[in-house]
Amino acid sequence: MKKTTIMTAVLTLLASVAIAPLSVSASSHSTIPKTLRGTWYRYNGKSFNTLKLTTHKFAYSGIGGSSSLTPSQKGYKRLYVQKKAGKYTFNHYTKDYQNPGSFKISKRKIGGHYRKALFQYTPTGYVIVLTKVKYHHDYSFQMH
């Protein structure tokens, strides 16, 4: 009787552990994580480029024009959120000009203090630094 109770408890525990990762890994590929959401700015020397991230939209506007990614669009304009090696990507692309790069939150020394910033890693090795506050200075840099 005691062995049956212990075996039932062990099987129940194993079943619950096996099911738990399924619900965690089933997160939506069309939802932008809360830590990345908000309006981010980069000073371009004359005005500000803006990146607005909402629950289901990636919208950029700047000197070169504007673009957006949403789950309802087709091709490379379709929002598809993935996390690889600690960085987020937002779409499937086939050509370099379609790639907005990969993104992650990090700290950067801004105005003498370390502040949270959104780092955009471009395919060319350039890192664009975006902040939640409009600073009249570009903190972007080239990776070595």
Short mmCIF file of all heavy atoms in Angstrom, two decimals, residues 23 26 40 62 68 96 128:
data_model
loop_
_atom_site.label_atom_id
_atom_site.label_comp_id
_atom_site.label_asym_id
_atom_site.label_seq_id
_atom_site.Cartn_x
_atom_site.Cartn_y
_atom_site.Cartn_z
N SER A 23 3.88 24.88 -21.12
CA SER A 23 3.16 26.13 -20.99
C SER A 23 4.11 27.33 -20.96
O SER A 23 3.78 28.40 -21.43
CB SER A 23 2.30 26.12 -19.72
OG SER A 23 3.12 26.00 -18.59
N ALA A 26 5.50 28.00 -24.60
CA ALA A 26 4.47 28.31 -25.58
C ALA A 26 4.19 29.81 -25.65
O ALA A 26 3.12 30.22 -26.03
CB ALA A 26 3.20 27.56 -25.24
N TRP A 40 11.66 54.68 -27.47
CA TRP A 40 13.11 54.81 -27.34
C TRP A 40 13.60 55.85 -28.35
O TRP A 40 13.09 55.92 -29.47
CB TRP A 40 13.78 53.46 -27.60
CG TRP A 40 13.38 52.40 -26.63
CD1 TRP A 40 12.31 51.56 -26.73
CD2 TRP A 40 14.02 52.09 -25.41
NE1 TRP A 40 12.27 50.72 -25.64
CE2 TRP A 40 13.31 51.02 -24.82
CE3 TRP A 40 15.15 52.59 -24.75
CZ2 TRP A 40 13.69 50.46 -23.60
CZ3 TRP A 40 15.53 52.02 -23.54
CH2 TRP A 40 14.80 50.96 -22.98
N GLY A 62 12.46 57.96 -38.49
CA GLY A 62 13.70 58.73 -38.43
C GLY A 62 13.97 59.43 -39.75
O GLY A 62 13.06 59.57 -40.58
N SER A 68 7.24 49.65 -39.94
CA SER A 68 6.65 48.99 -38.78
C SER A 68 6.53 47.50 -39.05
O SER A 68 6.48 47.06 -40.20
CB SER A 68 5.29 49.59 -38.45
OG SER A 68 4.37 49.31 -39.47
N ASP A 96 19.70 41.79 -46.26
CA ASP A 96 20.24 42.60 -45.17
C ASP A 96 19.42 43.86 -44.90
O ASP A 96 19.25 44.25 -43.75
CB ASP A 96 21.69 42.99 -45.44
CG ASP A 96 22.66 41.87 -45.10
OD1 ASP A 96 22.25 40.94 -44.38
OD2 ASP A 96 23.81 41.92 -45.56
N ILE A 128 23.71 50.67 -32.04
CA ILE A 128 22.93 51.90 -31.87
C ILE A 128 22.36 51.87 -30.46
O ILE A 128 21.75 50.89 -30.04
CB ILE A 128 21.81 51.98 -32.91
CG1 ILE A 128 22.42 52.04 -34.32
CG2 ILE A 128 20.90 53.18 -32.65
CD1 ILE A 128 21.42 51.89 -35.44
#
